[in-house]
Amino acid sequence: MKQLGRLLPLSALLLLLAGCGEVNLSALDPQGPVAEMQLSLIKLSLYIMIIVIVVVFVIFAIALIRFREKPGDTHIPKQVEGSKTLEIIWTTIPVILLLILAIPNVMDTFTLANVEADENSITVNVTAHQFWWEFEYPDHDIVAGQDMYIPTNTKILVNLEASDVMHSFWVPALAGKQDNVPGITNEMWLEASHPGVYKGKCTELCGEGHWLMDFRVISVERDVFDKWATNMIGPEQEPASQLAETGREVFQASCIGCHAVGGVGGNPASGGPDLTNFGEREVIAGFLEFNEENLEKWLRYPAETKPGNKMPPFNHLNEDDMKALIEYMKGLKVLD
Amino acid sequence: MSNSQALTKSALWDWLTTVDHKKIGIMYLVAGAFFFALGGLEAMLIRIQLMFPESNFVSAQAFNELITMHGTTMIFLAAMPLLFGLMNFIVPLQIGARDVAFPFLNSLGFWLFLSGGILLNLSWFFGGAPDAGWTAYVPLSSAEYASTGLDYYVLGLQISGAGTLIGGINFLVTIITMRAPGMTMMKMPLFTWSSFVASALILFAFPALTVGLFLLMFERLFGANYFIVEAGGNVVIWQHLFWIFGHPEVYILVLPAFGIFSEVLSTFSKKRLFGYSAMVFATLIIGFLGFMVWAHHMFTVGMGPVANAIFAVATMAIAVPTGIKIFNWLLTIWGGRIKFTTANLFALGFIPSFVLGGVTGVMLATSAANYQFHDTYFVVAHFHYVIIGGVVFGLFAGTFYWWPKIFGYMLNETLGKWFFWLFLFGFHLTFFVQHFLGLMGMPRRVASYLDGQGLNDLNFISTIGAFFMAVAFILLLVNIFVSRNDKAVADPWDGRTLEWATPTPVPEYNFAQTPVARELDALWYEKMQGNKKMPVAEPLGDIHMPNGSILPVIMSIGLFIASFGFIYHTYWISVVGLGITLGCMVVRSVKEDHGYHIPVEEIQQDKEVG
């Protein structure tokens, strides 16, 4: 019985592996070749390990049942020194099991490190900041903040850098992580098999805002990506309404020193994310649901909303200016 | 002054100045238990914060301080001293020695550890605890990004680390030079063997930490540039130094625990350890390979596929000697007469628990897959399976096993079994689900998690498990209190090794006459030969003992004071503090101290009473 009880978690484990967690966030539900390769390696290692677990648990359970002290039993068990045969067996078999795992692992490790460009591939330089992400596309001469657009079924070569402390770039559904290390450029590649929005996270403790340092990888068809890339270069579209026009003036007075729009403004040294396509984000500041209320909260009280971030508060804006600014920011789109 | 006051004062003085390995062992155990409770409290606050999504139970800053202090406390101030406590008390008894090789250094090691531990924890009250994780990766731990908390971390660990290094050297020399006649290396009990290997690991691993901490200290206090990229520094060097220490540290903790399991399983199965020499060599190989694998903590830092592949294969190799150990333990209980005491329950519970932690270790060693596991809750689950399932289970097994010898009374078995089952259940409930949390996209060290990501249920379950563990620990404390009148006999478990040949309470000089060890499991061998007593190597005579000294306490206080000077950049205070310590070293060097002799009449008297 005890033995069955111990095996329960294992069967639960297998069920869970069949698919679990939120789609587009879970490493157990891969959406691209890199994450698929990693999941199959995880499964291989798990199956080998289950063999080990079962063998140990069975011997263990039998020993506990057969050799427990019975009432009144006072015999002295035979003092066995050991067994050469057994030692050889339980040295050799694990070595073989490990080889079965080690060989594909070494092959995969080299495959994943192969960041050679092919005719379609696109390079993205990812710079991590406390606590947001910057995506530079050197071939297209554009910079985007927070949302990393990529064409579907295309090898994306990712160069990772950091501007302050260490961070780590992880999109579980697409690829395992590599670290953003100050002073060092790390390379990796990933690919999305379908259009979709994949959640990314920082996985290296980087300060107070670490847990909110999320980003999105947005995979779109090639033609959509090309449109996106063309429009990101700027110039920005004219605001659609008088209110938005006023908002633009507020933006140019208050925000443009740190945040670029359509290639104008921003500050590479200490600025914040590019906002050219801000109106197309799913979330504000990496985590807040995109609506006017949250945007106002973020603009007025950034420190309280996302502790540790560097954006100054804009609580001094009056109601009208704030409304206009929000209207303008909602209209910052490149894919319409 | 009344008589009782005089008595308390002299008792306090006795504990402050003692160089008796048994008293030092007890002080390690008490201090370690205190820090264990503190680290456990921090763990509970962490789990309460993570019970629900987007919770505001503690702030993100406070959370980062809690995880940093939980990890640092549990490794350096709880697990290590608790093991040191058992090693201190038991190893000299197991090898038939009267004390350790350097009793004065032994005391110094303890007081350095304690002053470093207190210093580190004082950071809570002076501007906030360190908040860069127990690994303190630069640049997050550098002067630019972290406040004085990290200075407390650097100096606290430096001081307590010196204590550990001293302790390690002391055990090495003790085990090499002070074994009783007849006890060759290959007749030493496994706990002594594993303490020996762990001490050798301390000798080679701690200097790497010392160097790393010195670099960080000089950077933070005096503006050095080792890790500052703009000035040509390199941040990855810190990680290498930290893990060249940090990985062997895992084995420094778990090898003595393996030793405890070997003793307990063998005693309560009434069988000698299966494959003794294989166990010894497996221990040595694990210790050696432990130094070859540090970079598996750094697969994602950009070392390239060649280094990653090499470190992956080297890490997998450790599974082989570890597997040898597991199977030898299984074969030790196989064919035995297994008694389910609390000590043995922990040893038996260790086998499946640790196997689960071991197999996830091999999974993590798979470098290409590690890119998914790394720095997620999968890793958190893995190392808690190893540290709790291995080290903490070992500590609890050792506690229940040696408690009668150390404290002179038996812990209650009924309460003990409740404690075991609650702890085992709570432990698996807390950490098993965390494997999935990691793969479902939960990074480690997150102060909270957003709602609607599918992470809520498992986090809730995990916190419930933590409460079970907390209740279990309280039961242990209750047990320690209510059992205190249940006097223990000298050999309550029908023991096999020499510590059970001493009377309880163990006299200051351990053995009136140095015993002769004729076989492995020396005491068991004599019992099987029908001998009531161990054969002895010498006639009854005066026993030479070392004098106590207050200097270790003062030296530790000196370094403690000096640290405050460094932290607050008031260097005259540092000079005073270092002056105190150096002055004590001079006094110690020039003062003649030949110890004293316990007269043979007194020993004779003890014997008759015993």
Side-chain angles (χ1 to χ4, degrees), chain A:
Chain A
M1 248 346 269
K2 193 175 267 171
Q3 177 187 355
L4 279 180
R6 284 221 165 75
L7 287 173
L8 262 182
L10 270 178
S11 31
L13 189 143
L14 287 173
L15 278 176
L16 277 160
L17 262 184
C20 132
E22 194 199 354
V23 184
N24 299 351
L25 172 61
S26 175
L28 299 172
D29 196 358
Q31 304 292 323
V34 175
E36 270 162 22
M37 187 192 300
Q38 287 166 332
L39 184 63
S40 61
L41 201 52
I42 290 172
K43 281 182 176 163
L44 173 66
S45 63
L46 185 67
Y47 297 148
I48 296 174
M49 292 307 130
I50 285 176
I51 298 173
V52 176
I53 291 172
V54 169
V55 169
V56 171
F57 280 30
V58 167
I59 298 174
F60 180 66
I62 296 173
L64 287 193
I65 295 164
R66 268 186 61 188
F67 301 107
R68 67 184 189 283
E69 184 176 73
K70 281 124 201 138
D73 183 0
T74 53
H75 86 281
I76 301 287
K78 190 161 168 252
Q79 305 292 308
V80 189
E81 248 183 69
S83 154
K84 260 213 185 89
T85 325
L86 283 174
E87 300 285 356
I88 290 167
I89 291 173
W90 60 52
T91 308
T92 330
I93 294 178
V95 169
I96 295 168
L97 290 178
L98 288 173
L99 281 176
I100 297 173
L101 181 60
I103 291 166
N105 175 50
V106 171
M107 287 160 62
D108 284 358
T109 302
F110 279 88
T111 311
L112 292 178
N114 175 17
V115 286
E116 263 173 48
D118 58 34
E119 65 274 24
N120 282 324
S121 63
I122 286 180
T123 302
V124 185
N125 296 332
V126 178
T127 307
H129 307 267
Q130 281 181 324
F131 301 96
W132 60 279
W133 299 84
E134 180 180 321
F135 304 106
E136 186 203 355
Y137 296 71
D139 311 332
H140 302 78
D141 206 21
I142 51 179
V143 174
Q146 292 294 63
D147 287 350
M148 173 171 158
Y149 280 79
I150 57 168
T152 303
N153 286 319
T154 306
K155 187 174 184 182
I156 311 295
L157 309 177
V158 183
N159 298 321
L160 299 164
E161 283 156 26
S163 71
D164 35 47
V165 299
M166 276 189 64
H167 302 273
S168 191
F169 174 92
W170 187 33
V171 193
L174 296 183
K177 64 196 70 66
Q178 290 288 306
D179 296 343
N180 299 70
V181 186
I184 291 171
T185 303
N186 280 331
E187 297 172 311
M188 64 181 277
W189 66 276
L190 55 80
E191 187 176 328
S193 305
H194 324 278
V197 180
Y198 307 103
K199 288 186 178 170
K201 287 175 181 293
C202 173
T203 48
E204 183 67 62
L205 178 63
C206 55
E208 276 182 279
H210 169 53
W211 75 280
L212 292 172
M213 193 169 156
D214 289 6
F215 61 98
R216 297 282 194 279
V217 174
I218 299 171
S219 158
V220 291
E221 298 295 354
R222 190 80 194 203
D223 53 326
V224 182
F225 177 80
D226 289 338
K227 184 183 173 191
W228 177 82
T230 313
N231 291 347
M232 279 298 283
I233 298 176
E236 63 167 310
Q237 293 175 343
E238 283 308 305
S241 67
Q242 187 53 45
L243 187 61
E245 184 60 46
T246 316
R248 183 179 180 175
E249 282 159 25
V250 178
F251 188 90
Q252 299 208 324
S254 302
C255 316
I256 204 150
C258 293
H259 298 282
V261 170
V264 181
N267 176 349
S270 63
D274 182 286
L275 299 179
T276 307
N277 60 342
F278 182 78
E280 282 156 354
R281 302 232 168 117
E282 274 189 351
V283 286
I284 302 161
F287 72 102
L288 288 169
E289 191 192 334
F290 197 103
N291 59 41
E292 293 184 12
E293 199 186 328
N294 278 340
L295 184 51
E296 179 166 353
K297 180 175 150 197
W298 168 247
L299 292 169
R300 288 194 187 278
Y301 313 107
E304 290 79 358
T305 314
K306 188 174 178 179
N309 90 90
K310 291 191 185 118
M311 173 145 142
F314 287 88
N315 201 17
H316 53 275
L317 293 183
N318 64 39
E319 284 289 319
D320 292 343
D321 282 355
M322 182 57 81
K323 260 210 170 66
L325 178 59
I326 290 172
E327 183 64 22
Y328 167 71
M329 290 181 75
K330 275 165 56 187
L332 290 172
K333 294 183 177 177
V334 298
L335 285 176
D336 272 354

Side-chain angles (χ1 to χ4, degrees), chain B residues 235-267:
Chain B
V235 300
V236 180
I237 289 174
W238 165 264
Q239 297 188 24
H240 281 292
L241 286 171
F242 188 88
W243 289 116
I244 287 172
F245 147 77
H247 196 78
E249 170 68 14
V250 178
Y251 298 105
I252 293 170
L253 294 174
V254 87
L255 289 181
F258 285 175
I260 295 171
F261 297 126
S262 304
E263 306 285 326
V264 170
L265 288 170
S266 153
T267 301

Side-chain angles (χ1 to χ4, degrees), chain B residues 14-156:
Chain B
D14 182 41
W15 283 96
L16 289 175
T17 57
T18 186
V19 292
D20 179 347
H21 72 96
K22 296 179 289 300
K23 284 185 173 156
I24 292 171
I26 288 173
M27 290 197 291
Y28 266 120
L29 291 176
V30 172
F34 169 76
F35 285 120
F36 186 78
L38 202 60
L41 188 68
E42 284 152 5
M44 290 313 294
L45 296 177
I46 291 168
R47 273 324 314 171
I48 292 171
Q49 162 72 8
L50 294 175
M51 197 166 180
F52 300 106
E54 298 172 44
S55 153
N56 281 317
F57 179 71
V58 294
S59 69
Q61 176 59 31
F63 185 89
N64 289 349
E65 293 176 19
L66 282 171
I67 55 156
T68 305
M69 287 301 283
H70 167 70
T72 313
T73 302
M74 284 305 199
I75 298 287
F76 291 99
L77 309 180
M80 300 244 351
L82 286 169
L83 287 168
F84 261 45
L86 293 176
M87 283 156 69
N88 243 301
F89 200 105
I90 300 302
V91 167
L93 298 182
Q94 279 197 335
I95 61 174
R98 294 225 163 88
D99 206 323
V100 291
F102 307 113
F104 179 89
L105 283 185
N106 200 15
S107 160
L108 181 63
F110 168 75
W111 291 106
L112 285 177
F113 138 69
L114 187 65
S115 84
I118 292 172
L119 180 70
L120 178 58
N121 274 280
L122 283 181
S123 60
W124 286 113
F125 307 105
F126 297 104
D131 56 1
W134 86 282
T135 49
Y137 278 9
V138 287
L140 192 62
S141 59
S142 65
E144 190 182 350
Y145 296 98
S147 64
T148 50
L150 257 296
D151 295 325
Y152 282 92
Y153 170 93
V154 168
L155 289 157

Side-chain angles (χ1 to χ4, degrees), chain B residues 46-47 107 120 141 145 168 191 229 289 310 344 351 369 383 419 441 448 475 486 507 548:
Chain B
I46 291 168
R47 273 324 314 171
S107 160
L120 178 58
S141 59
Y145 296 98
F191 179 63
V229 173
L289 286 178
I310 291 171
N344 203 25
I351 292 177
F383 68 70
F419 163 55
S448 189
L475 266 190
D486 187 10

Side-chain angles (χ1 to χ4, degrees), chain B residues 97-300:
Chain B
R98 294 225 163 88
D99 206 323
V100 291
F102 307 113
F104 179 89
L105 283 185
N106 200 15
S107 160
L108 181 63
F110 168 75
W111 291 106
L112 285 177
F113 138 69
L114 187 65
S115 84
I118 292 172
L119 180 70
L120 178 58
N121 274 280
L122 283 181
S123 60
W124 286 113
F125 307 105
F126 297 104
D131 56 1
W134 86 282
T135 49
Y137 278 9
V138 287
L140 192 62
S141 59
S142 65
E144 190 182 350
Y145 296 98
S147 64
T148 50
L150 257 296
D151 295 325
Y152 282 92
Y153 170 93
V154 168
L155 289 157
L157 290 191
Q158 194 67 282
I159 294 175
S160 71
T164 306
L165 186 56
I166 288 173
I169 293 169
N170 201 352
F171 283 120
L172 278 179
V173 179
T174 304
I175 295 169
I176 292 174
T177 61
M178 296 183 64
R179 281 168 288 122
M183 186 175 285
T184 57
M185 292 296 268
M186 290 309 280
K187 283 182 191 156
M188 293 197 310
L190 236 285
F191 179 63
T192 297
W193 250 117
S194 57
S195 299
F196 178 75
V197 177
S199 301
L201 296 191
I202 288 174
L203 180 63
F204 292 106
F206 266 73
L209 177 70
T210 307
V211 168
L213 289 172
F214 263 124
L215 299 187
L216 189 55
M217 174 181 163
F218 273 70
E219 188 179 297
R220 291 185 57 86
L221 299 176
F222 309 122
N225 295 317
Y226 306 107
F227 309 124
I228 295 180
V229 173
E230 296 78 45
N234 182 324
V235 300
V236 180
I237 289 174
W238 165 264
Q239 297 188 24
H240 281 292
L241 286 171
F242 188 88
W243 289 116
I244 287 172
F245 147 77
H247 196 78
E249 170 68 14
V250 178
Y251 298 105
I252 293 170
L253 294 174
V254 87
L255 289 181
F258 285 175
I260 295 171
F261 297 126
S262 304
E263 306 285 326
V264 170
L265 288 170
S266 153
T267 301
F268 292 110
S269 308
K270 289 253 179 298
K271 268 185 70 195
R272 66 175 270 163
L273 191 67
F274 192 88
Y276 172 85
S277 38
M279 288 295 246
V280 169
F281 284 111
T283 308
L284 288 167
I285 291 168
I286 292 173
F288 179 76
L289 286 178
F291 279 98
M292 305 293 145
V293 297
W294 78 91
H296 69 214
H297 297 265
M298 301 164 58
F299 280 147
T300 65

